[in-house]
Amino acid sequence: MRKGEATREHIIEKAARVLNRNGYYASSLSEIMEASGLKKGGIYNHFESKEEIIAEAFAHNVRAMSERFDEAASVPGRAVDRVLAMAAVALELYRGEPIPGGCAIMNAAIESDDAHPFLKERAKASMERFIARVRGVLEQGQRYGEVDPSADAGEAALFIVSALEGALMMSKLMDSDAAVKAALARIASLLNRELRLP
């Protein structure tokens, strides 16, 4: 990696942590400068605008989350066990792993709402990919005879992700992992009682 590329990656990595924790638009350039150890000119040598930094930082955070969900989805076992492993990543996100500040998609969605359509579109696309990933594991389980074939895998995936994201928001607000643990218990009940085949 050339020096310029390494510097750009360094800025993205440091900015990603700050922006996810303090807000993509709420964070100031001075916070990014402090985290990266670079001056304004040094940062803008590699980026044309703060919006470009936001886009790259968000993509960096989503990649880190996706890698962790992919690891969980690849654990040995049946489809339901793999979805449960993916869901359990929510506790890691609440604790600030693999990135400080929790779920990057949820943070971006809450912050952007209707005020920042640029970020909202990226959050929406990332959330859709997350839902599709869960649905894909369930559909694979249906093909292999592990998940009830009459179940609507898309609806189940939407519920699971919605429950996790809502619980993450509640846990973050209340400074307690209780909501995430409650959501995980309900998701386990749904998967084991309604979807899992013997």
Side-chain angles (χ1 to χ4, degrees):
M1 185 182 289
R2 292 193 314 243
K3 185 180 177 184
E5 292 171 344
T7 302
R8 180 181 169 87
E9 285 303 310
H10 169 76
I11 295 167
I12 291 169
E13 182 184 334
K14 297 301 183 182
R17 298 170 74 86
V18 169
L19 299 182
N20 194 55
R21 192 175 54 244
N22 300 344
Y24 286 87
Y25 282 92
S27 298
S28 66
L29 184 61
S30 62
E31 289 175 288
I32 297 170
M33 289 164 52
E34 183 179 343
S36 66
L38 295 169
K39 296 188 188 243
K40 183 177 180 180
I43 291 172
Y44 282 123
N45 276 341
H46 300 278
F47 300 92
E48 291 184 8
S49 65
K50 185 180 176 188
E51 201 149 79
E52 186 183 357
I53 298 170
I54 288 170
E56 293 290 345
F58 177 71
H60 175 89
N61 286 333
V62 170
R63 271 193 307 277
M65 286 175 47
S66 296
E67 286 169 8
R68 185 61 199 97
F69 280 115
D70 287 344
E71 284 173 21
S74 64
V75 297
R78 296 164 71 86
V80 164
D81 301 314
R82 295 193 345 260
V83 172
L84 285 170
M86 291 175 75
V89 172
L91 270 176
E92 297 174 29
L93 290 172
Y94 170 72
R95 294 171 184 150
E97 301 166 9
I99 48 173
C103 178
I105 304 171
M106 179 194 71
N107 291 343
I110 290 171
E111 183 180 1
S112 63
D113 192 23
D114 293 324
H116 304 290
F118 169 84
L119 185 58
K120 183 177 182 178
E121 282 304 310
R122 282 163 173 72
K124 179 183 174 187
S126 298
M127 191 68 80
E128 287 170 345
R129 285 193 297 274
F130 181 26
I131 295 166
R133 183 74 172 95
V134 175
R135 185 185 71 233
V137 174
L138 292 173
E139 287 174 343
Q140 184 182 56
Q142 288 175 318
R143 290 193 298 274
Y144 292 167
E146 300 170 358
V147 172
D148 182 350
S150 69
D152 185 329
E155 182 182 87
L158 179 60
F159 168 77
I160 289 166
V161 173
S162 298
L164 290 174
E165 294 295 339
L168 277 166
M169 186 274 297
M170 286 292 292
S171 282
K172 199 168 177 185
L173 180 66
M174 306 303 285
D175 291 320
S176 164
D177 63 7
V180 172
K181 287 181 174 176
L184 289 174
R186 288 296 177 183
I187 289 167
S189 178
L190 166 75
L191 289 167
N192 288 317
R193 294 183 183 181
E194 297 182 33
L195 300 182
R196 185 191 292 271
L197 290 179

